[in-house]
Amino acid sequence: MGDQKESLRKITHTLAMKNEEISNFVCTLKQSLDNLEANSSRVQEDLESEFTSLHSVLDEMKETMVTRIKQERASRTYELQSQLSACSKALESSEELLELANQTLCSSATDGFNQAAKDIKDSVTMAPAFRLSLKAKASDNMSHLMVDFSQERGVLQGLKFLPVPATPEIQVSECQVCDNTVTVVWTLPEPDSKIDHYILEHRRTNHEGPPRIREDYPWMVLEGIREMEHTLTGLRFDTRFMTFRVRACNKAVAGEFSEPVTLETHAFTFKLDAASSHQNLKVEDLSVEWDSCGGKIQDIRKEKTRTNSPMHSPARSALMSPKRAPTARPGRDRFTAESYTVLADTMIDAGQQYWEVRFDKESKAFAVGVALRSLGKFDQLGKSSASWCIHLNNWLQQSLTAKHNNKARTLDCAIPNTIGVYVNYDEGVLSFYNSKTKQLMHTFKTKFQQPIIPAFMVWNGSFSVLTGLQVPSLVQSGQRKNSGTSSSNASLT
């Protein structure tokens, strides 16, 4: 009976997952239909606009060329008409002189012949007919204004839609996620020298499957990428995955997006539990400031809690999966008296985790470390067996010490602005680093019998926490080198 129920539960879970997958795909298809309608209308409008623009250019060119022909015709007509008029007048005058000369020759009168002949000679010498050029001032040939648009017609007949770049493919095996950076690598089906740049989009998600229509986070766009790979740096991984897609662009048009690829971006994320923090601490998100007035009612942000069911256990993950402790923990009162403490809301019960804390070096006192859930409300960090920490004391004389179970060891190292905290729960390792140089400050080696929680203390000062960080490569390599050595701090563990 029990086996059948378990089998039925698995079937139910599988069906539920499949239904969600199909539902998501249905939403995707509906969205694709809407996009198809909108995109078709858009490209048709663009086509009509381009042809209208082309017609307008042709009409303008036709008008310009017709005007040129008309101007040329008018100019030549004027020249020829003027020359024709002058020639007609010269011909009329010359014909009159010819008739006069003939009459004089035929006259029998001898009186005045000589004078008449002389006058005719003088008139001929001054006649316009002998001063005219008998070459036309303008040609009637207009062949220089003829056109042959056969080549242009061929170009127009060759009009077609723009060549769309091929769709890239993201090479998952070559992509890397490390040190809060992601390197995405892609290829094209074949080389394309006309590719101008690529557009890479990425989106955070907590869903491992294909992208969903309704996501909590928007696509972030990176444009102008010239190579077929890109590295995103300085990321904070506050979701389980990141989804990537890329498309190629030439000078005119962008191609289709590649198939989305989802990469796991596991990192340790938590918030501070303002509900149980000391009342002298003003907790805002991941920042804490000492409040000298004390006793003020603080705003308690209600967070949805993660269940501690086996489904969310770190043991089910190949890496790690810290559990978020319930905000209203049974028996957890506010820290009080001189325990100016605030805890995180997420427990660690497996794997390797890393976070950083930036603090005011002028704080009278500051501590960072881990604690058991059983840490008492009067307990100061490092002064009981339920907590381990590094403690900065600026009261009277500055000192930096490692504390556990009311034992302290002075640390001979510079005080950094930001401390990195590394936990390997399974190996019982708690290490503190200078976050900038990754220089090891101190390591506790113990065996954690219960889940632990990031813990912080501040008096007359402030600090802020950085989460969503992966274990840095330098820290991991340093831990591997030190894994075979014995701890010099055994007296504190």
Side-chain angles (χ1 to χ4, degrees):
M1 183 70 176
D3 293 341
Q4 291 180 344
K5 282 189 175 180
E6 181 62 24
S7 177
L8 186 58
R9 287 193 189 97
K10 291 181 179 180
I11 293 174
T12 303
H13 176 71
T14 301
L15 286 173
M17 295 294 291
K18 177 55 68 175
N19 289 346
E20 182 180 1
E21 183 180 351
I22 295 175
S23 176
N24 182 46
F25 185 61
V26 167
C27 292
T28 302
L29 290 177
K30 290 181 179 179
Q31 185 66 51
S32 296
L33 286 171
D34 293 340
N35 292 344
L36 177 61
E37 186 67 26
N39 291 335
S40 298
S41 299
R42 177 177 57 82
V43 295
Q44 183 174 341
E45 290 175 0
D46 290 345
L47 180 66
E48 292 175 352
S49 175
E50 286 295 325
F51 269 99
T52 300
S53 176
L54 187 59
H55 290 154
S56 177
V57 170
L58 290 174
D59 288 340
E60 289 178 4
M61 292 185 64
K62 177 183 176 182
E63 183 67 27
T64 300
M65 298 177 80
V66 168
T67 300
R68 170 77 185 279
I69 292 173
K70 289 180 178 180
Q71 290 175 343
E72 187 81 6
R73 181 180 65 187
S75 175
R76 293 190 182 195
T77 298
Y78 175 79
E79 291 288 341
L80 293 174
Q81 288 284 8
S82 298
Q83 193 173 18
L84 176 61
S85 176
C87 288
S88 297
K89 290 180 179 179
L91 178 60
E92 181 180 353
S93 175
S94 179
E95 287 177 344
E96 290 177 355
L97 283 175
L98 178 60
E99 183 178 356
L100 178 61
N102 287 330
Q103 290 176 358
T104 302
L105 286 174
C106 295
S107 175
S108 57
T110 58
D111 296 338
F113 178 80
N114 291 334
Q115 184 61 40
K118 183 178 181 300
D119 291 342
I120 291 173
K121 180 180 179 182
D122 290 341
S123 296
V124 169
T125 302
M126 299 300 296
F130 294 94
R131 297 198 302 270
L132 285 175
S133 171
L134 298 183
K135 182 180 179 180
K137 291 184 177 180
S139 172
D140 59 354
N141 188 348
M142 297 288 283
S143 59
H144 67 291
L145 295 180
M146 294 182 66
V147 295
D148 179 8
F149 289 152
S150 57
Q151 184 176 355
E152 288 79 3
R153 190 178 300 108
V155 172
L156 290 174
Q157 290 173 342
L159 290 178
K160 56 185 178 180
F161 295 106
L162 288 171
V164 179
T167 303
E169 180 180 359
I170 296 178
Q171 302 298 317
V172 180
S173 61
E174 298 183 32
C175 296
Q176 293 184 351
V177 180
C178 180
D179 291 336
N180 284 86
T181 67
V182 178
T183 298
V184 185
V185 181
W186 58 89
T187 58
L188 289 172
E190 57 185 28
D192 186 349
S193 60
K194 295 183 179 180
I195 297 297
D196 180 68
H197 66 277
Y198 298 90
I199 297 175
L200 177 66
E201 295 189 355
H202 62 90
R203 179 166 65 184
R204 295 177 293 163
T205 180
N206 283 308
H207 302 281
E208 186 174 6
R212 298 144 57 96
I213 295 299
R214 295 180 292 273
E215 284 283 358
D216 296 330
Y217 302 96
W219 286 105
M220 307 301 292
V221 181
L222 297 172
E223 297 184 339
I225 301 173
R226 303 294 178 181
E227 304 296 330
M228 288 194 291
E229 68 174 63
H230 187 75
T231 299
L232 290 82
T233 61
L235 301 173
R236 283 189 61 229
F237 295 151
D238 52 2
T239 56
R240 294 176 57 203
F241 306 96
M242 287 183 69
T243 301
F244 296 87
R245 63 183 186 182
V246 64
R247 61 178 172 178
C249 305
N250 55 30
K251 292 290 187 180
V253 66
E256 293 288 336
F257 274 110
S258 65
E259 283 295 321
V261 167
T262 299
L263 302 178
E264 185 174 13
T265 54
H266 182 89
F268 185 37
T269 60
F270 61 83
K271 295 184 179 180
L272 298 177
D273 183 13
S276 63
S277 66
H278 194 286
Q279 288 194 352
N280 279 100
L281 302 183
K282 183 180 179 182
V283 180
E284 293 185 356
D285 196 16
L286 289 172
S287 297
V288 176
E289 184 178 0
W290 165 266
D291 182 1
S292 59
C293 296
K296 289 184 177 180
I297 299 176
Q298 303 190 33
D299 295 331
I300 302 175
R301 293 178 172 81
K302 297 182 179 180
E303 297 292 335
K304 293 183 178 180
T305 61
R306 301 178 188 168
T307 63
N308 292 332
S309 66
M311 283 297 293
H312 298 86
S313 172
R316 298 182 63 90
S317 173
L319 296 174
M320 48 262 179
S321 179
K323 295 186 293 187
R324 191 171 299 279
T327 303
R329 290 188 294 269
R332 167 55 69 198
D333 297 324
R334 279 188 179 275
F335 289 98
T336 188
E338 295 184 355
S339 180
Y340 305 113
T341 303
V342 58
L343 301 179
D345 66 348
T346 304
M347 299 184 299
I348 302 171
D349 62 358
Q352 303 176 58
Q353 320 294 346
Y354 181 83
W355 65 96
E356 294 180 352
V357 57
R358 184 182 296 116
F359 59 94
D360 179 7
K361 294 172 69 173
E362 301 300 320
S363 301
K364 294 295 183 183
F366 168 78
V368 57
V370 298
L372 304 179
R373 290 183 60 188
S374 58
L375 184 68
K377 67 178 183 179
F378 296 102
D379 292 342
Q380 299 180 37
L381 293 186
K383 290 193 174 183
S384 73
S385 62
S387 62
W388 299 256
C389 73
I390 276 186
H391 184 274
L392 171 66
N393 183 16
N394 279 321
W395 182 249
L396 299 179
Q397 184 177 359
Q398 188 179 74
S399 65
L400 184 65
T401 56
K403 289 186 174 183
H404 171 63
N405 203 18
N406 209 24
K407 296 179 182 179
R409 179 182 295 276
T410 301
L411 303 182
D412 184 18
C413 61
I415 300 174
N417 293 318
T418 305
I419 293 176
V421 184
Y422 166 82
V423 171
N424 187 330
Y425 184 89
D426 302 315
E427 298 294 330
V429 174
L430 170 64
S431 296
F432 299 88
Y433 289 85
N434 180 321
S435 70
K436 183 176 181 180
T437 65
K438 298 302 182 287
Q439 179 183 0
L440 179 64
M441 299 171 64
H442 183 76
T443 293
F444 290 102
K445 288 191 175 181
T446 184
K447 185 175 182 181
F448 299 118
Q449 302 292 342
Q450 305 174 30
I452 55 177
I453 307 173
F456 310 86
M457 183 279 295
V458 68
W459 176 46
N460 281 328
S462 61
F463 67 87
S464 59
V465 182
L466 301 176
T467 71
L469 303 178
Q470 295 184 307
V471 180
S473 299
L474 289 175
V475 171
Q476 287 183 329
S477 61
Q479 288 293 324
R480 284 193 293 268
K481 291 179 181 179
N482 297 330
S483 61
T485 62
S486 59
S487 173
S488 61
N489 307 304
S491 61
L492 296 178
T493 61

